[in-house]
Amino acid sequence: MTSASFDFAPLLPAGLPQPAARWTGLAKYSFVGGNNDPEQVPLDGLIDAVNAVLKREGRTLATYGLASGPQGYGPLREFLTAKLKRDAGIACAADDILIVSGSLQALDLVNQTLLARGDTVIVEQETYQGSLNRLTRLGVNAVGIPLDHEGMRMDALASALADLKARGIRPKYIYTIPTVQNPTGTIMPEARRSELLRLSAEYGVPIFEDDCYADLIWDGKRPPAIHAMAKHGGVIHIGSFSKSIAPALRVGFIVAPWEMLSRMLALKTDAGSGALEQMVLAEYCAPHFTSHVPALTKALRRKLDVLMEALNEHFGTSAEFEDNKGGIFLWVKLPDNVDTLKLYQAALAAGVSINPGPEWSTDKAYSKSRLRLCFASPSVEQIREGVAVLAEVCRREFGVPLRSANVEKRA
Ligand SMILES: Cc1ncc(COP(=O)(O)O)c(C=O)c1O
C-alpha cells in the first residue's frame, strides 16, 4: 500500500529536521559508524542470560519499568554502581543512575535540560558527529577546542573561557570524550583532568563527560573518570553498553546529581527504556563482563594492527595516524590536497564507506584532508581489501598515494 495520494506536507510544523534518507544497506567495505565486531558479541552468554532471567522474573514484564521504577532495572544499576567504582573510581548509588535508550538518549536529555537556542557550549574541536549534529539542530553555538595527543588542550580551553567571559557569555557545558576520544583516540591523563576541573570550577561551567569507549583500552588501564575526581559536583557522566557488548541493544546510562537527574527523568517520556535488554545485560554482565572485555579488546587490537598495516602498505607515507591505545576508530591524515568529503563520494561508488573529517570537526579547513575509519565491524579480509580499494580511488581522484602496495603508479 502507498500513501502517494495524501499530502502531509502542509501539516508539518516549521523547524522539523530534514527528512531521513531510506536505508540502502551497508557498503561492501564499511568503515563507518560505531559498529562493533560481530564475532565478539557474547552470544552464548546472552542466550543463557535471557533464559535464566526470563524464567526467574519474566512476569515482571507485565509492569511498566518492571518492579524497579522509572530509573531502570535495579540489578543493572547495581551492576553499574560496582563497575563504575571499580573501573572509573566513581562513587555513586544505584539511585544516582538513570538507564536510557543508548547514550544518544543521554545526549538528548542533557541537551533538553540545559540548552536553549542561542546558547554556547564548548566541545573538542574534533568530536562525535552525533553530538555536533544535535547542537546544530538546537541552534546552539559550539566552540571547538583543539586537541593534542593528550586530548583537549587546556591552554586553548583557558583562553576560550576567558574570551567568552569577556563577551559576557557563560557556556552551558564543556563536552568531552576524555577516555579514548572519538574520533582521535586520545586518552586524557589524570593531570589534565584535574586542570579541566579547575577551569570548570573557576568559570562555573559544568563538565559533560561522555565515557562510552572507556572499557576498550588495550592494557585495561584508565585514568579515573572526571566525575570521580570532581569536588564541585558539576559533572554529568554518561556511558553505554554499545561499545562493550552491542550497539543494537540500545542501553546507556547517566550518572548525575539528583537536581539534574530529576529534570531529565521528567523529560524522559517513553515510560522506560527496553526492559528485556536491561534484564539480559544485568544477568550477563554481573558474572561475565570482566572476562568478556579483555577478549573483545584483544580482537579489536588485532584489527587495528591489520588496518595500520594495510594503510602503510597501500598509502605509505601519504597516511598519517597514531597507534591508538584503545577504541574502534583510527583518525587518519591524508595529504593536504585530498578533500575527504569528495573522497567519501568516490569511495562509496567503489563500495567503500568512510567518515569524512569535516563531519567530525568544528574546523572544516583543518579536517578537510582527515577521515575516520572504524576497524571493529569489518572483517580482517574486508579491512585489507577495503583499504586497497580506498587507496586506488584516492590515487585516481587526488594523485596520492603515488605508490600503492609498493608498486609505483603512473599518473
Ligand atoms: C562519543 C559517543 N557518544 C555517544 C554515542 C552513542 O552511542 P549509543 O547511543 O549507542 O550508546 C556514540 C556512538 O558512536 C559515541 O561515539
Side-chain angles (χ1 to χ4, degrees), residues 48 79 96 118-119 164 169 191 279 284 287 326 356 366 380 397-399:
D48 290 347
F79 165 76
D96 302 322
D119 276 346
L164 288 167
I169 299 170
M279 294 165 91
Y284 172 78
Y366 173 86
V380 161
E397 299 290 320
F398 299 100

Side-chain angles (χ1 to χ4, degrees), residues 34 102-104 107 128 175 177 182 210 212-213 240 242-243 250:
S103 47
L104 283 173
L107 291 172
Y128 175 44
Y175 173 71
I177 311 164
N182 181 4
D210 186 343
C212 66
Y213 297 99
S240 178
S242 290
K243 314 302 169 181
R250 310 307 306 131

